[in-house]
Amino acid sequence: MKQKLTVRTVVGAAFALVALLSLTAGAGAVQGDKKIRLLDDCDPVTFSGVPGGCIGNGHTTFAEFIEELEETQDVHKWRNQPSQMHLNVGRPTLIENRGGEVHTFTPVAAFGGGFVPDLNALSGNPVPAPECLNFGSITFIPAGAVEEGPTAGTGELPVGLSRFQCCIHPWMRTVIEVASPGPQASSSKANSAEHHAHH
Ligand SMILES: [Cu+2]
């Protein structure tokens, strides 16, 4: 009887250890880089005259690109994936340009136009985001490049909402929400306390 209990205890401890190890492995996986992809579908032949050019094997001609932009103020195949995401503090990001054109992934206080007036007008973003006119600080990400992005919880990507857009194609956008490292309720409690204080 005594021996059985001991065996059971050992087996229990082994299960606990396995559970702990898999939790640790899970936590490790969560710390991997979170990838954000910048996508397009430019046809190299008809985009050859576009500043920055186009490489790769996209299929959307320049005329089709402009036509879709005129009709919808957006070109669906030119987009950031994902367009919205949640990250925990400490999570690094990678920005991967999977398209054939140059893009930017520029932090902006508010979404606006980029630095190409024609694309701003056609996409319904007539007023450029000021950050997109500050050429010294814009990072251009060439086709095929993978760049380190901001890490959640740092000054570049603080707790709360951050907005990123392409300064060439201003409809290419991503909103990242970084969760508060404390209990989930803390920020909403703070909000409601602030709300009550106003009354
Ligand atoms: Cu772009």
Side-chain angles (χ1 to χ4, degrees), residues 38-40 78 80 101-104 166-170 172:
L38 315 181
L39 307 178
D40 71 52
W78 273 247
N80 291 358
E101 284 198 283
V102 177
H103 298 286
T104 84
C166 180
C167 287
I168 301 165
H169 314 97
M172 296 177 68

Side-chain angles (χ1 to χ4, degrees), residues 6 8 69 83 94 109 114 136 162 175:
T6 311
R8 216 174 261 179
L69 195 53
S83 58
L94 274 183
S162 293
V175 177

Side-chain angles (χ1 to χ4, degrees), residues 7-21:
V7 168
R8 216 174 261 179
T9 308
V10 169
V11 169
F15 270 111
L17 184 61
V18 168
L20 187 67
L21 286 175

